[in-house]
Structures are given as C-alpha cells and as structure tokens.
C-alpha cells in the first residue's frame, strides 16, 4: 500500500481525490495548507505528494523544496495552467504537472505512473479469485502460474483492475493504453481485449457494454 499526501486547501477537491484513491492500494492524508503538509511529512513517511501551488501558510514551491529534501516525489495539481507555470514546476523538480479541472481517471493513471517510475510501487494487485498482478515486475499470475501478456494486454488489464465495475468507453481505453488520439476504429481495442480476456479466463467478467466499451465486473 502506498501512502499519498493531498496538499489542497479546497476541501471539495481534496475529499474527491481522497475518495477516489483511498482503498486497498492507497492510503491518503490531507493537509489544507503548506505548513500542515510539512508537519505531516515530518511526522510520517509518504510515497507521493499531490500538491497545489496556491496554498496558504507555505506555497507549493516551498513545500516542493521540503519534499525534495525528503526524496518524496511530487505531482503538482493546480489551477496555474500556463506553459510558463508548467515549465517552472517541472524544472523545480516536480515529477508531473496536472492542471485543474482534471479527470479522476487521468489522475489515477498519472499517480500510478509516477509511483512506478520512482520505484515506489512494488506491490501486488489481486483480482479474485486467482489473478495477481506484480506492478513492480509487470508480471501476471493466474492460479500461481505465470501468464504471458503483451505490453498492451498488461496495460489493459491494469486499467480495468483500477476501474472495476466501471464502463470504460473505447476511445478512453485507446487513449490511455496506446497514448494517442482515438480515430474511431475499434478493432485494435477489441482484438487486444479478446486475447487478454481469453488468456486470463475473464470471458464472463470482462463484458462488452453496448455502444460504450467494456466493463470488468467484480
């Protein structure tokens, strides 16, 4: 389980992020100002900080300096969205920069990417009854037996496991896994999902949703 600090003074946004992240994979702490964020970082170890720039007490840039000293990766999550702001944040040492408003699905994907890049994951995700995903080694086992997935099949599985019981549109699936704009051809998505579904015995659980896409039922 990874511990994430949400440094955000808008309670509605902080609660939304916390609700989305809290669970078996992540445990969240919340700080409403920069000084409180530093106090929490000093009191207990965190694997990642989601950091607003315009914080009372101490602004995000000051908190970033504190995080760098503790070697805690930071994702800026802020309304300051100009190119100059993004460049400044990344040059000062943030691992990523997300502007408000944002989509929770994208935030979750970026959190996972930063944690993996910084070597902070190293955990096993489980999909009952018998599938285990080692996110550090990018390996998958079914009933204890390794399953050979392609890179895209692995990313698809991870996307569905992170969005259990959520109907995902084909265009969003394509954009998240292939990293490029969807051009309306669903054959690539459908083929990869069919192959991954067969390898893992998910025929009755990874279901097609009419005129939408797919949903992993758990």
């Amino acid at each position: 389980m990874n511990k994430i600090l949400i440094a955000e003074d808008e309670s509605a946004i902080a609660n939304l992020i916390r609700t989305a992240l809290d669970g078996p994979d992540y445990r969240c702490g919340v700080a409403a100002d920069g000084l409180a964020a530093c106090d929490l970082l000093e009191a207990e170890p965190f694997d990642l900080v989601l950091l607003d720039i315009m914080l009372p007490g101490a602004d995000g840039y000051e908190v970033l300096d504190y995080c760098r000293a503790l070697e805690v990766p930071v994702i800026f999550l802020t309304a300051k969205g100009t190119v100059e702001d993004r460049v400044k944040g990344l040059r000062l040492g943030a691992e990523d920069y997300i502007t408000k408003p944002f989509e929770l699905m994208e935030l979750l994907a970026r959190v996972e990417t930063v944690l993996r890049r910084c070597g902070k994951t190293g955990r096993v995700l489980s999909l009952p009854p018998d599938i285990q995903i080692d996110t550090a080694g990018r390996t998958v086992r079914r009933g204890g037996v390794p399953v050979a997935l392609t890179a895209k099949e692995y990313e698809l599985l991870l996307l569905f496991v992170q969005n259990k019981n959520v109907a995902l549109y084909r265009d969003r699936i394509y954009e998240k896994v292939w990293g490029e704009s969807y051009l309306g051809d669903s054959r690539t998505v459908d083929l990869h999902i069919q192959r991954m579904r067969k390898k893992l015995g998910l025929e009755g659980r990874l279901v097609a949703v009419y005129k939408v896409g797919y949903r992993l039922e758990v």
Side-chain angles (χ1 to χ4, degrees):
M1 176 182 291
N2 291 112
K3 292 171 62 178
I4 298 175
L5 176 59
I6 304 165
E8 170 62 63
D9 62 328
E10 295 186 41
S11 59
I13 295 177
N15 290 335
L16 180 67
I17 297 171
R18 185 171 195 167
T19 299
L21 289 175
D22 262 340
D25 300 328
Y26 305 115
R27 183 166 68 85
C28 297
V30 176
D33 65 72
L35 294 177
C38 293
D39 288 341
L40 282 174
L41 287 165
E42 187 175 313
E44 56 182 305
F46 284 91
D47 298 301
L48 176 67
V49 179
L50 299 178
L51 181 59
D52 190 9
I53 292 177
M54 295 179 288
L55 288 173
D59 67 26
Y61 298 125
E62 294 173 298
V63 178
L64 176 61
D65 286 339
Y66 199 83
C67 293
R68 291 179 64 192
L70 296 174
E71 298 184 345
V72 180
V74 167
I75 297 177
F76 271 133
L77 192 61
T78 175
K80 294 173 70 67
T82 68
V83 173
E84 291 78 10
D85 290 324
R86 293 197 298 271
V87 170
K88 179 180 179 180
L90 294 171
R91 282 181 171 171
L92 287 175
E95 292 291 334
D96 205 345
Y97 195 107
I98 303 174
T99 56
K100 302 173 185 176
F102 55 87
E103 293 188 20
L104 285 175
M105 186 175 172
E106 179 181 5
L107 174 62
L108 292 171
R110 294 208 191 190
V111 164
E112 176 65 29
T113 297
V114 169
L115 288 171
R116 184 168 60 242
R117 184 168 68 229
C118 295
K120 298 286 187 176
T121 50
R123 69 179 191 280
V124 175
L125 303 179
S126 296
L127 178 61
D130 61 353
I131 296 173
Q132 291 188 318
I133 307 165
D134 182 342
T135 60
R138 292 176 64 86
T139 59
V140 178
R141 290 178 177 269
R142 180 185 177 194
V145 179
V147 179
L149 298 181
T150 67
K152 296 303 184 187
E153 290 167 354
Y154 173 85
E155 294 294 340
L156 282 168
L157 175 62
L158 200 60
L159 178 65
F160 282 110
V161 169
Q162 292 171 336
N163 294 274
K164 302 181 188 75
N165 300 314
V166 176
L168 300 179
Y169 283 84
R170 281 184 175 86
D171 58 346
R172 298 298 293 159
I173 295 171
Y174 188 86
E175 289 168 4
K176 290 300 179 185
V177 174
W178 276 265
E180 54 190 54
S181 297
Y182 181 67
L183 299 177
D185 185 356
S186 67
R187 289 176 297 179
T188 298
V189 173
D190 293 340
L191 177 61
H192 280 78
I193 288 178
Q194 289 167 13
R195 289 172 58 85
M196 182 265 288
R197 186 166 53 186
K198 184 176 181 179
K199 289 180 181 180
L200 295 171
L202 295 174
E203 289 89 345
R205 300 169 64 193
L206 184 50
V207 300
V209 180
Y210 182 61
K211 291 187 176 180
V212 176
Y214 292 88
R215 179 179 62 245
L216 177 60
E217 297 182 344
V218 178

